[in-house]
Amino acid sequence: MDIKANLETVKKSFINPQCQLIAVSKTKPVSLLKEAYDAGIRDFGENKVQEIQDKHPQMPEDVRWHMIGHLQRNKVKYIAPFVHLIHGVDSFKLLKEIEKQGKKAERKIPVLLQMHIAEEESKFGFDRKELQEMLEDPEFQQFQYVVIRGLMGMATFTENKDQIRKEFRGLKNLFTELKNRDLPGFMQLEELSMGMSGDYLIAQEEGSTMVRIGSAIFGARNY
Ligand SMILES: *Cc1c(COP(=O)(O)O)cnc(C)c1O
């Protein structure tokens, strides 16, 4: 596995060179993360709190840790002191817990709201109605330690490129719509996290600012 070569191939293929690359290193050993680090990667994505906790002390201080998976409320406290960006915030309850742990850790915690854009029932995320309800909740207006930096979404797992494009486009439209609203100061919508190894080029065409790429860099995962 030549990680440096894989990274070069992936980066060369980018339609938008400004788009940020998050190297998704879940299930992979620290030795491989170090290879990616030596090739210039500083942003790493993991989907399990335990795994971030294990890898964090073994990697250089300037690594930015992205929590990309479903996050359980009772585990927020373990990553609150150092996590760079939580991509998968999918409920108001979780956001309230992040606020609480941010206050304890005395730091603002940047997050993305995960929107449900896929056809599958199983994918996590807010739907438009849930998002609207949260935005209107008086308690929502009070956040001081949460910073909402944008939106995240995962497209349907399908070969149908039109379907994927349609879902990404829908997310981008919602993003633009939200940005044009009168939002509280802690909502600074700059980032649109969409695209993985199989669909990052479509995602970039549709306006992604951040792609989360695992297998195209580190190879297939054995679970
Ligand atoms: C695993 C994962 C990725 C990366 O998937 P690849 O197909 O290996 O690029 C991206 N986003 C999330 C949320 C993931 O869980």
Side-chain angles (χ1 to χ4, degrees):
M1 183 59 49
D2 188 343
I3 288 175
K4 189 157 182 264
N6 289 349
L7 276 166
E8 276 165 16
T9 307
V10 166
K11 281 215 186 124
K12 245 190 277 169
S13 71
F14 271 26
I15 288 159
N16 172 13
Q18 307 297 321
C19 186
Q20 213 192 325
L21 169 63
I22 318 293
V24 175
S25 48
K26 63 191 186 194
T27 79
K28 299 296 177 182
V30 168
S31 58
L32 295 191
L33 276 72
K34 287 192 169 148
E35 274 186 48
Y37 182 91
D38 290 340
I41 292 294
R42 294 295 177 270
D43 294 273
F44 289 86
E46 293 281 344
N47 71 340
K48 292 216 164 68
V49 167
Q50 181 66 53
E51 210 172 328
I52 297 198
Q53 278 183 284
D54 288 346
K55 289 173 174 174
H56 170 240
Q58 299 183 64
M59 291 292 290
E61 288 255 355
D62 62 344
V63 163
R64 296 181 287 265
W65 295 98
H66 295 251
M67 176 66 201
I68 62 169
H70 179 64
L71 176 58
Q72 285 172 297
R73 270 181 289 154
N74 61 359
K75 296 195 173 154
V76 175
K77 56 179 174 287
Y78 301 118
I79 57 170
F82 65 87
V83 70
H84 180 71
L85 182 63
I86 301 175
H87 291 234
V89 175
D90 57 5
S91 75
F92 193 13
K93 278 184 174 172
L94 175 58
L95 209 50
K96 287 181 205 172
E97 178 63 20
I98 296 170
E99 168 77 11
K100 188 172 138 196
Q101 296 303 332
K103 187 172 185 185
K104 264 196 194 162
E106 297 179 343
R107 67 184 289 258
K108 289 185 189 272
I109 302 181
V111 307
L112 305 178
L113 300 179
Q114 181 171 359
M115 297 302 301
H116 180 100
I117 58 170
E119 274 190 340
E120 294 115 303
E121 291 276 332
S122 61
K123 299 253 162 98
F124 294 104
F126 287 94
D127 60 31
R128 274 177 173 258
K129 182 163 166 282
E130 288 163 346
L131 179 67
Q132 184 57 35
E133 280 167 7
M134 181 173 80
L135 294 179
E136 286 169 4
D137 194 302
E139 209 183 324
F140 178 78
Q141 315 286 333
Q142 316 274 314
F143 285 136
Q144 290 181 51
Y145 290 90
V146 159
V147 182
I148 299 177
R149 301 271 304 135
L151 303 180
M152 180 269 212
M154 288 171 84
T156 303
F157 187 71
T158 172
E159 293 292 317
N160 184 345
K161 293 203 160 71
D162 293 337
Q163 171 82 24
I164 295 170
R165 187 179 298 282
K166 191 179 82 187
E167 291 170 2
F168 284 154
R169 191 167 291 179
L171 184 59
K172 167 74 188 217
N173 288 343
L174 173 65
F175 181 68
T176 308
E177 202 181 294
L178 280 178
K179 272 167 77 94
N180 289 330
R181 285 211 221 165
D182 194 16
L183 299 170
F186 64 87
M187 283 187 85
Q188 299 152 13
L189 304 182
E190 308 288 341
E191 306 293 350
L192 193 51
S193 170
M194 56 185 197
M196 325 198 332
S197 293
D199 57 19
Y200 70 90
L201 293 177
I202 303 176
Q204 289 184 350
E205 283 170 353
E206 297 303 329
S208 171
T209 69
M210 254 182 196
V211 288
R212 310 173 310 272
I213 300 185
S215 42
I217 298 170
F218 295 106
R221 289 175 293 273
N222 319 300
Y223 287 100

